[in-house]
Amino acid sequence: MSPRHLQPALIAFGMLLASTATAAFIDLHAHPFMDDGLGTLFHGKFEGELRATDWRANLYSQINIESLEKSNLGLVVVSLYAHPIASNGRRDSIRRQLARAHAFVKTHPHWIIATSPLEARRARANGKGVLVLALEGASGILETEEDLREFVDEQGLRIVTFLHLTDDHLGGAAFFRSFRGFIMSPISWFLQMFSPTVDEYDAKLNRNGLTADGADLARRLIKRKVWLDLAHASDKAQAGLLPLLAGHQPLLYTHTVLRKYLHSERGITEAQLEQVKKTSGIVGLMPSEEMLEGTPASCADGIHELAAQFAIVAQHIGAASTQIGSDFNGGINHLMPPKCATGTALDAQGLWNIGQSGQLWLTLKALGVPWPQATTAADDEFIATFLAAWSKVTGT
């Protein structure tokens, strides 16, 4: 039997061995309540049935209570998002999403919302799942001191993806490639047509960086021990944020991919990975065909491309600091059924809902990605590494 024909059997055997221990993995970026954030543009609810049916689903629910319970995730960063128009009031949408998160843990007491690393560690020690509340896009929501008191001090937001899809009064957002880049930041993209700025990866760079308003809000969030996520910030905005973060926070990119294959500012560079390493930070990779396309891998499909990127990032920052930010419900596709069989449930339908998260992690492990030497129970090493980095933010 050829090595290629042996691969599915070897992977299945590896997964059988891995599954003998209780797995508890991490997702750095998921949107359970996107129906409220996008209004009628989105189909399905966290409290209802899954509406997605395959890996191509974009605006159909990929997370509900049942699938979260089956996910083998011990910690989920719940990202709250409110579209400026479709959400029917941005602050009110975030309030409703927060209320739904609290209602979930009230009716499912084996989950908690953790507002500190200490709370999260205690919950994990008692076998409970942990939700950490995050906000994607600060503009229009975190504008005043009253907003900070409400959403951070009282409601418990602990991570903020500071900039998001478009430039705003806080700073510049990372460009996407091709037409998507134009519709996200049309003015900045239009100016690039006449005097383009590109990097060594042939990625167009947004000229807009951190504004004075952005620097002021960043300082106030850092003072409140809120972890700033750099995933969507332009390179120039990141250059403005880094001096503010220095000595206070490990760098965090909750959902990204390697820029050298994406050829877009939305991806992370090797120089940025080295900065993550210096600060003992965390990077979450996105399991998405469109984001992983072009990655050299043993097989031209998303799961093998994800494994290839995982290995590269782990070489830079360490295996335990290399994690997953699924962006489920985030309007992207996920992983197609692999062209080279893995011997797992992903072979039939690919990755299309959060309930498959444990399968995804164990498939990566069986594909031979670098894996941390366990110093904690089972696969809590990824969670422990995240909590250690978060502790540096909070000082606890």
Side-chain angles (χ1 to χ4, degrees):
M1 202 180 257
S2 70
R4 180 164 178 147
H5 287 110
L6 278 171
Q7 187 187 47
L10 292 172
I11 291 175
F13 179 67
M15 288 192 66
L16 177 63
L17 292 178
S19 65
T20 59
T22 301
F25 299 106
I26 188 167
D27 190 333
L28 295 178
H29 192 84
H31 294 280
F33 311 115
M34 188 58 96
D35 59 288
D36 205 310
L38 286 179
T40 57
L41 297 176
F42 192 83
H43 307 277
K45 288 180 175 290
F46 175 65
E47 298 85 357
E49 299 294 322
L50 290 179
R51 295 291 296 277
T53 57
D54 63 30
W55 66 277
R56 299 178 187 86
N58 284 340
L59 299 179
Y60 292 82
S61 61
Q62 301 157 324
I63 310 172
N64 66 357
I65 293 172
E66 182 182 4
S67 60
L68 179 61
E69 298 280 37
K70 294 179 179 178
S71 67
N72 293 115
L73 292 170
L75 189 150
V76 181
V77 177
V78 172
S79 186
L80 311 176
Y81 169 72
H83 189 276
I85 299 172
S87 64
N88 190 27
R90 299 183 73 181
R91 289 183 180 87
D92 284 343
S93 174
I94 298 302
R95 291 181 183 112
R96 290 191 295 269
Q97 293 176 55
L98 287 163
R100 291 166 69 187
H102 285 283
F104 168 71
V105 297
K106 185 175 182 179
T107 57
H108 296 77
H110 51 286
W111 288 88
I112 74 155
I113 294 172
T115 59
S116 72
L118 180 60
E119 287 181 357
R121 289 190 186 97
R122 286 174 175 167
R124 292 302 306 140
N126 290 319
K128 293 187 177 184
V130 173
L131 305 181
V132 179
L133 298 177
L135 175 69
E136 189 160 41
S139 177
I141 299 166
L142 301 180
E143 297 287 355
T144 67
E145 195 65 19
E146 183 179 343
D147 292 334
L148 294 175
R149 282 195 295 271
E150 177 183 358
F151 292 113
V152 176
D153 301 345
E154 298 170 10
Q155 295 283 4
L157 288 179
R158 290 298 178 261
I159 295 173
V160 171
T161 306
F162 194 71
L163 297 156
H164 193 211
L165 298 176
T166 59
D167 298 351
D168 55 43
H169 74 101
L170 300 176
F175 278 157
F176 286 79
R177 58 187 177 186
S178 67
F179 183 68
R180 180 176 285 195
F182 172 75
I183 63 175
M184 296 301 185
S185 298
I187 296 175
S188 299
W189 190 264
F190 181 76
L191 292 173
Q192 280 281 23
M193 294 174 62
F194 297 97
S195 180
T197 302
V198 298
D199 65 7
E200 66 269 31
Y201 305 107
D202 199 32
K204 288 186 175 68
L205 301 180
N206 191 343
R207 293 195 186 97
N208 292 327
L210 189 69
T211 66
D213 285 348
D216 177 64
L217 178 58
R219 291 189 187 97
R220 287 188 286 158
L221 289 171
I222 291 166
K223 185 177 180 180
R224 278 180 157 85
K225 313 297 185 183
V226 175
W227 204 354
L228 301 190
D229 172 22
L230 302 177
H232 277 278
S234 69
D235 282 6
K236 194 169 181 180
Q238 290 186 44
L241 285 166
L242 288 180
L244 304 179
L245 298 174
H248 299 285
Q249 299 190 0
L251 298 189
L252 174 66
Y253 295 78
T254 60
H255 58 304
T256 188
V257 291
L258 291 169
R259 189 179 299 182
K260 67 179 179 179
Y261 302 128
L262 186 65
H263 304 295
S264 164
E265 191 177 24
R266 180 64 181 84
I268 192 169
T269 69
E270 295 196 9
Q272 289 164 346
L273 285 173
E274 286 305 306
Q275 290 295 319
V276 174
K277 178 181 178 180
K278 288 178 182 178
T279 64
S280 300
I282 303 288
V283 171
L285 289 171
M286 298 175 69
S288 167
E289 294 286 339
E290 65 183 280
M291 299 295 285
L292 295 164
E293 182 182 4
T295 305
S298 59
C299 224
D301 59 50
I303 185 62
H304 290 85
E305 291 166 348
L306 179 62
Q309 290 214 15
F310 196 105
I312 293 169
V313 174
Q315 287 175 357
H316 282 275
I317 68 173
S321 298
T322 307
Q323 305 190 359
I324 296 293
S326 70
D327 208 7
F328 277 122
N329 286 0
I332 62 168
N333 66 31
H334 285 84
L335 302 182
M336 62 187 274
K339 295 177 181 178
C340 300
T342 66
T344 75
L346 299 185
D347 290 348
Q349 290 183 283
L351 179 71
W352 63 276
N353 76 80
I354 202 167
Q356 299 171 292
S357 297
Q359 289 281 329
L360 173 65
W361 274 102
L362 292 176
T363 301
L364 289 172
K365 185 175 185 180
L367 286 172
V369 302
W371 206 258
Q373 296 295 317
T375 57
T376 57
D379 292 292
D380 269 19
E381 188 71 10
F382 293 100
I383 296 175
T385 301
F386 173 84
L387 295 179
W390 187 15
S391 292
K392 295 178 181 178
V393 178
T394 62
T396 58

